[in-house]
């Protein structure tokens, strides 16, 4: 049986990850590929319940360690119930955020913390072993512009705005984190997210073709 492929999308708030995930899933499905579009935190019933705990409420609702443990619990359920079964069935899984977001938000967001990053990697090893994405797109945008876009998108809807309400310095730390992570492996591809939706989508499809994903 053909083994599936795991693609993740990362980046700061308002970078357009969800839109590009959806467009890629639609493009691959039109080509006859079996695709699963999912997200984190969430993606499975248990993980979606945990999602409501971490993305809602006041900015100071949790400290970084509590956040990390909640995200990892959600991720374990997501892997067991959705991601691993789909990959074993030969499906291309497209996920809006994954481990790199935990490293960025809980390891760098409050100030780069090598101890926190070590703990994140250790807990991840416990829940997922050596499993990692095959390809990760980082949608890069200036944090001020990203937050502006995110607020326009959300309008008066204030739910799931906990991270958007963090100080701007937090969001600049996130951008630095994703750029540093991108230096660690050739699975990362940084995409300029300041351009039009169609231009970004075209670049992503070029990478998909170059990497022979399908």
């Amino acid at each position: 049986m053909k083994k599936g492929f795991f693609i993740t999308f990362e980046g700061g708030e308002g970078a357009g990850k969800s839109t590009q995930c959806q467009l890629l899933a639609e493009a691959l499905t039109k080509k006859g590929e079996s695709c699963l579009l999912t997200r984190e935190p969430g993606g499975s019933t248990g993980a979606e319940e945990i999602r409501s705990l971490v993305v809602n409420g006041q900015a100071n609702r949790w400290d970084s360690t509590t956040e990390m443990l909640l995200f990892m619990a959600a991720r374990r359920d997501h892997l067991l119930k959705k991601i691993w079964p789909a990959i074993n069935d030969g499906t291309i899984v497209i996920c809006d955020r994954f481990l790199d977001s935990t490293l960025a938000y809980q390891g760098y967001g409050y100030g780069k913390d090598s101890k926190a990053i070590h703990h994140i990697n250790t807990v991840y090893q416990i829940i997922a072993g050596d499993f990692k994405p095959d390809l990760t797109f980082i949608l890069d945008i200036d944090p001020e512009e990203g937050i502006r876009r995110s607020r326009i998108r959300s309008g008066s809807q204030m739910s799931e705005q906990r991270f958007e309400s963090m100080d701007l310095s937090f969001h600049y730390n996130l951008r630095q984190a994703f750029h540093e992570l991108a230096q660690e492996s050739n699975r990362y591809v940084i995409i300029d997210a300041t351009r039009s939706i169609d231009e970004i989508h075209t670049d992503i499809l070029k990478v998909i073709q170059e990497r022979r994903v399908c």
Side-chain angles (χ1 to χ4, degrees):
M1 182 177 291
K2 177 185 175 183
K3 183 178 180 295
F5 200 86
F6 186 34
I7 302 171
T8 57
F9 280 75
E10 302 284 3
E13 304 298 330
K17 297 176 301 301
S18 300
T19 297
Q20 294 301 328
C21 284
Q22 182 69 46
L23 290 173
L24 179 58
E26 291 172 357
L28 294 180
T29 299
K30 286 179 182 178
K31 291 183 65 175
E33 298 292 336
S34 173
C35 287
L36 170 66
L37 178 59
T38 189
R39 69 175 183 174
E40 287 206 350
S44 61
T45 301
E48 288 290 338
E49 292 174 357
I50 296 173
R51 178 185 177 90
S52 66
L53 295 175
V54 292
V55 300
N56 293 312
Q58 298 298 313
N60 62 354
R61 183 178 186 183
W62 312 109
D63 71 355
S64 60
T65 300
T66 305
E67 283 179 358
M68 181 269 287
L69 293 171
L70 287 167
F71 279 120
M72 289 296 186
R75 182 163 297 131
R76 174 66 179 178
D77 192 70
H78 191 202
L79 286 165
L80 287 173
K81 305 289 178 58
K82 283 285 190 75
I83 294 174
W84 284 339
I87 289 175
N88 288 336
D89 284 342
T91 297
I92 297 175
V93 178
I94 300 169
C95 191
D96 185 347
R97 296 200 182 279
F98 193 64
L99 171 64
D100 294 306
S101 277
T102 308
L103 288 166
Y105 279 69
Q106 284 72 53
Y108 286 75
Y110 302 97
K112 187 175 181 181
D113 185 336
S114 58
K115 186 176 181 180
I117 292 168
H118 172 72
H119 288 162
I120 291 167
N121 285 321
T122 298
V123 176
Y124 181 79
Q125 183 74 23
I126 292 170
I127 70 161
D130 295 327
F131 177 77
K132 293 287 179 64
D134 297 297
L135 174 60
T136 297
F137 291 103
I138 296 175
L139 300 191
D140 183 51
I141 192 170
D142 180 83
E144 290 189 63
E145 173 63 14
I147 294 298
R148 186 189 70 82
R149 290 184 180 186
S150 181
R151 287 173 177 166
I152 290 174
R153 176 198 65 203
S154 301
S156 61
Q157 179 63 38
M158 294 306 295
S159 64
E160 299 200 354
Q161 295 294 299
R162 180 168 170 261
F163 287 107
E164 284 91 333
S165 68
M166 300 286 190
D167 290 341
L168 194 58
S169 61
F170 178 89
H171 296 282
Y172 275 103
N173 288 341
L174 296 184
R175 191 183 194 190
Q176 176 190 346
F178 287 121
H179 277 269
E180 289 190 21
L181 289 168
Q183 304 305 311
E184 296 180 0
S185 168
N186 62 7
R187 76 171 165 91
Y188 296 96
V189 178
I190 296 179
I191 299 288
D192 179 0
T194 63
R195 299 164 301 150
S196 71
I197 291 173
D198 288 343
E199 288 173 319
I200 296 168
H201 179 56
T202 297
D203 275 2
I204 289 169
L205 291 181
K206 286 179 181 176
V207 174
I208 293 294
Q209 184 175 25
E210 290 168 359
R211 299 291 181 102
R212 299 174 184 245
V213 174
C214 58

